Amino acid sequence: MGHGGDSRRAGAYDGELGAAVGRAQQGDEAAFAVAYRIVQPGLLAYVRGLVGDDAEDVMSDAWLEIARDLGRFKGDGAGFRGWTATIARHRALDHLRRQRVRPRPSVLEQDVLDLPGPQSTHDQAMEALSTEYALELVGGLPRDQAEAVLLRVVVGLDGPAAARVLGKRPGAVRTAAYRGLKRLARQLGAEGVTDEPPRTLGEST
């Protein structure tokens, strides 16, 4: 079952990613570079949504931990995405605690979101999330929604994997992702927004 453009692309790379991780665990540095190249863009965008301009530094710390603990990882390519996202999130939260940074509140009010229309919120927001501007807008969402959107759309995790990273139930992550995408669709000027969450966003509670 697809999870939108970026997530489908992520899934397509998971076979290659899993093979690269296996080789990297045997000491193949080139394979580790392949795994890094596949995973890093999504992780960096996710962490940028949490810490802003400090994302590169946070991800440097995260990759040091990933490289150090690589031998302990067990799983496939999709599992590696979730494992690295968990590490990246922990490092980002550590950074926020050190800097005493608080997440920015959303500038949108809930009552502007209830607009009927024929198009899918998910599809509209997914197309726009390829832009840096859209990623900046994600940073203005409430944190639970921002993280859910970034993990699902940008990192390419499925519902259960995103829920494990966040320590929440899949249904809660599904709801947060839907609300976040709906807010983004409205803020990006989408005119048609459905009131029903698309099934591809995740699992029911």
Side-chain angles (χ1 to χ4, degrees), residues 47-114:
V47 171
R48 184 172 287 122
L50 298 178
V51 304
D53 292 339
D54 294 330
E56 298 262 2
D57 291 338
V58 170
M59 281 309 304
S60 293
D61 291 340
W63 277 106
L64 287 174
E65 182 174 343
I66 291 165
R68 184 193 70 200
D69 295 342
L70 183 63
R72 302 178 186 177
F73 171 73
K74 297 183 186 302
D76 57 10
F80 186 75
R81 287 185 191 278
W83 182 67
T84 55
T86 299
I87 291 174
R89 182 175 191 265
H90 288 166
R91 297 291 70 75
L93 295 181
D94 286 346
H95 176 81
L96 290 175
R97 281 190 288 268
R98 287 194 300 270
Q99 299 298 321
R100 297 182 179 180
V101 173
R102 296 293 180 264
R104 291 175 294 166
S106 173
V107 298
L108 297 178
E109 296 295 329
Q110 185 64 40
D111 59 2
V112 305
L113 301 177
D114 298 323

Side-chain angles (χ1 to χ4, degrees), residues 14 39 82 92 101 115 149 168 205:
D14 281 344
V39 172
V101 173
L115 300 176
V149 169
K168 297 181 178 180
T205 55

Side-chain angles (χ1 to χ4, degrees), residues 11-205:
Y13 280 115
D14 281 344
E16 179 185 357
L17 177 59
V21 169
R23 295 195 304 273
Q25 288 179 313
Q26 300 302 316
D28 187 333
E29 293 183 4
F32 186 83
V34 170
Y36 173 90
R37 187 180 69 246
I38 293 173
V39 172
Q40 169 68 358
L43 290 181
L44 182 62
Y46 170 48
V47 171
R48 184 172 287 122
L50 298 178
V51 304
D53 292 339
D54 294 330
E56 298 262 2
D57 291 338
V58 170
M59 281 309 304
S60 293
D61 291 340
W63 277 106
L64 287 174
E65 182 174 343
I66 291 165
R68 184 193 70 200
D69 295 342
L70 183 63
R72 302 178 186 177
F73 171 73
K74 297 183 186 302
D76 57 10
F80 186 75
R81 287 185 191 278
W83 182 67
T84 55
T86 299
I87 291 174
R89 182 175 191 265
H90 288 166
R91 297 291 70 75
L93 295 181
D94 286 346
H95 176 81
L96 290 175
R97 281 190 288 268
R98 287 194 300 270
Q99 299 298 321
R100 297 182 179 180
V101 173
R102 296 293 180 264
R104 291 175 294 166
S106 173
V107 298
L108 297 178
E109 296 295 329
Q110 185 64 40
D111 59 2
V112 305
L113 301 177
D114 298 323
L115 300 176
Q119 295 178 308
S120 164
T121 303
H122 181 260
D123 291 342
Q124 291 166 345
M126 290 281 269
E127 291 177 4
L129 276 174
S130 61
T131 69
E132 290 185 8
Y133 172 65
L135 289 175
E136 290 177 4
L137 292 182
V138 172
L141 295 173
R143 176 177 286 181
D144 64 329
Q145 295 178 17
E147 287 201 71
V149 169
L150 290 168
L151 287 172
R152 297 301 311 277
V153 177
V154 180
V155 180
L157 301 185
D158 62 17
R164 287 192 292 272
V165 171
L166 297 174
K168 297 181 178 180
R169 296 177 59 190
V173 175
R174 172 183 180 270
T175 299
Y178 171 65
R179 288 176 177 170
L181 287 169
K182 194 175 183 182
R183 283 173 179 257
L184 288 176
R186 173 56 180 159
Q187 193 166 2
L188 288 165
E191 295 182 354
V193 176
T194 58
D195 286 331
E196 292 299 322
R199 287 177 294 175
T200 55
L201 271 182
E203 298 68 31
S204 60
T205 55

